[in-house]
Amino acid sequence: MNYAQFEKQRSWEVQKLLPTSQKATVFSPSNIALSKYWGKRDIKLNLPTNGSLSATLADFGSFTTVEFDASFVQDELFLNGTKEAVINAKAKSVLDLLRAKASVRTFARVQTANNFPTAAGLASSASGLSALTAAAAFALGLDLPLEKLSEVARQGSGSACRSFFGGFAEWKKGERADGADSVAFAVAGPSHWPLDVIVAVVKETHKAYASTSAMEHTRTTSPYFQPWIETAEKQLALIRTAVLKKDFEILALETETNCLRMHASSQAAHPPILYWQPKTIEVMQMVWQMRKEGIRAFFTIDAGPNVVVFVEPQDRARCFERVRSVEGLQFLETKIGEGCRKISDNTKT
Ligand code: PMV
């Protein structure tokens, strides 16, 4: 279902909204890192060992309504229509941070749904936690700049801090122990370089390792983790410059190398973490073959087996036809798009 259909249906609101409540609804997109966040220097605050830079996806993300009402006796979260037995710790920490800022103790009901299939393996934590942060802040009447929203969302899920910005967004590593400078900012808007995106969805044969435990396992057991962080900041600068200059060759080479170095660090963990499936490698090699033939496409892979292919608009049709010829996969097509946005709220009269 596309963005407009989803917005109109509001099917994520399985519980009736109360007339007495303060509420807000937002849509926040997923994002895919070209320069990856992989490693935490502070687990509690979600402070990264290195900065990262991502592209914001146009159509895929989370719709979230947050409602605060004095009659609620606990926080509740409904995900894709189903109530979580206990609200998850990440969502709770975001609600608590915002309640403290607003000096209120009212409980919240969160209703959220993703407009992409869960099996697509897109990071729903990025869209979900950024949507929750923005909706809760709006519902509480907090007028926070995007940078502050990104600081709060980061504490729920690191990659979420980048979803507030459309186009290309960077998350600064920061230096401070309290994390106040570890926030995201816009590098370039969606129209700067309107690359097309195809997600090749590869079936998982086992459940993927959750990103937090995989990062920690890699940080503590992989001899390749130190080299990874030593090169990650340099690569981030190269990728940022390539985006700003629209230098396709450098962006393609550095994005792929960054992805493969991140995966190499995990593959060298003890015991190893391997996210790829045979089809993952098949798509990677197909992208390299296409590039040799002059199709301007490159790939990246997050903590899972799916391959995300970016392609220049003039080569879109040829690239999509080739990638789609790989059997046994599902595909999602999108573009680079706008960041998190408000759909409605009732806090202002
Ligand atoms: O924010 P998390 O905890 O879901 O971690 C995201 C990690 C990667 O997707 C692999 C990289 C990134 O920068 O998004």
Side-chain angles (χ1 to χ4, degrees):
M1 208 184 312
N2 69 26
Y3 174 86
Q5 289 164 329
F6 216 92
E7 184 185 332
K8 217 163 148 202
Q9 268 201 4
R10 288 220 161 181
S11 54
W12 70 96
E13 286 170 356
V14 291
Q15 295 290 306
K16 236 173 128 193
L17 303 181
L18 303 177
T20 50
S21 65
Q22 277 182 254
K23 50 195 166 256
T25 299
V26 307
F27 172 77
S28 191
S30 196
N31 68 69
I32 302 290
L34 306 174
S35 182
K36 306 282 186 202
Y37 150 52
W38 195 246
K40 298 180 202 265
R41 68 176 199 278
D42 182 318
I43 296 191
K44 194 163 173 288
L45 292 175
N46 261 345
L47 298 179
T49 48
N50 58 280
S52 56
L53 190 151
S54 58
T56 305
L57 299 186
D59 306 315
F60 302 121
S62 305
F63 288 85
T64 300
T65 296
V66 177
E67 192 180 7
F68 291 91
D69 190 275
S71 69
F72 296 159
V73 293
Q74 59 181 14
D75 290 325
E76 289 182 342
L77 190 148
F78 293 77
L79 175 61
N80 294 324
T82 307
K83 187 175 162 181
E84 284 192 355
V86 181
I87 186 166
N88 70 73
K90 291 175 172 184
K92 178 105 177 74
S93 73
V94 163
L95 290 173
D96 287 344
L97 281 167
L98 292 169
R99 273 190 286 246
K101 282 191 197 296
S103 305
V104 300
R105 298 174 65 178
T106 322
F107 289 113
R109 178 186 283 155
V110 180
Q111 304 196 55
T112 187
N114 301 323
N115 69 344
F116 52 85
T118 309
L122 291 173
S124 59
S125 65
S127 56
L129 269 301
S130 52
L132 170 65
T133 302
F138 293 142
L140 289 168
L142 290 168
D143 193 12
L144 300 176
L146 290 181
E147 189 182 285
K148 275 281 157 209
L149 289 176
S150 93
E151 187 190 339
V152 174
R154 184 205 76 227
Q155 295 175 64
S157 162
S159 55
C161 76
R162 301 183 305 236
S163 282
F164 294 97
F165 305 92
F168 299 86
E170 180 171 335
W171 171 16
K172 288 182 283 185
K173 169 178 172 273
E175 301 300 332
R176 290 174 53 148
D178 67 359
D181 57 351
S182 186
V183 294
F185 64 96
V187 171
S191 58
H192 170 70
W193 196 356
L195 295 170
D196 285 299
V197 183
I198 183 164
V199 184
V201 182
V202 178
K203 246 220 201 108
E204 296 186 57
T205 55
H206 61 270
K207 200 165 163 21
Y209 310 85
S211 59
T212 295
S213 52
M215 280 180 210
E216 266 312 275
H217 178 64
T218 304
R219 188 179 68 80
T220 51
T221 70
S222 173
Y224 294 179
F225 184 73
Q226 203 51 40
W228 152 254
I229 47 175
E230 275 160 24
T231 57
E233 284 291 326
K234 284 182 212 140
Q235 241 179 350
L236 168 63
L238 289 171
I239 287 174
R240 183 194 311 116
T241 307
V243 166
L244 289 171
K245 289 187 172 165
K246 294 194 242 178
D247 186 329
F248 177 85
E249 275 74 26
I250 294 190
L251 187 63
L253 178 63
E254 296 305 329
T255 298
E256 289 178 353
T257 312
N258 181 275
C259 156
L260 294 179
R261 286 180 184 171
M262 175 204 120
H263 283 270
S265 74
S266 298
Q267 288 167 15
H270 194 267
I273 293 176
L274 177 63
Y275 284 109
W276 304 343
Q277 300 288 329
K279 292 277 174 193
T280 310
I281 298 174
E282 205 179 312
V283 178
M284 285 156 66
Q285 287 177 330
M286 172 167 278
V287 171
W288 284 334
Q289 180 56 34
M290 282 193 278
R291 244 200 346 270
K292 271 196 199 142
E293 295 166 20
I295 297 175
R296 289 158 75 83
F298 63 91
F299 67 79
T300 188
I301 304 160
D302 273 344
N306 302 335
V307 187
V308 182
V309 180
F310 290 86
V311 60
E312 289 270 22
Q314 69 271 21
D315 294 333
R316 177 179 188 271
R318 279 202 298 161
C319 173
F320 281 19
E321 196 189 315
R322 290 286 290 280
V323 175
R324 282 181 170 282
S325 71
V326 180
E327 281 175 15
L329 303 183
Q330 283 182 305
F331 300 93
L332 297 175
E333 292 171 29
T334 186
K335 306 187 273 298
I336 292 179
E338 302 287 341
C340 182
R341 70 212 76 144
K342 189 195 293 182
I343 294 173
S344 62
D345 77 28
N346 74 339
T347 60
K348 306 224 167 42
T349 48

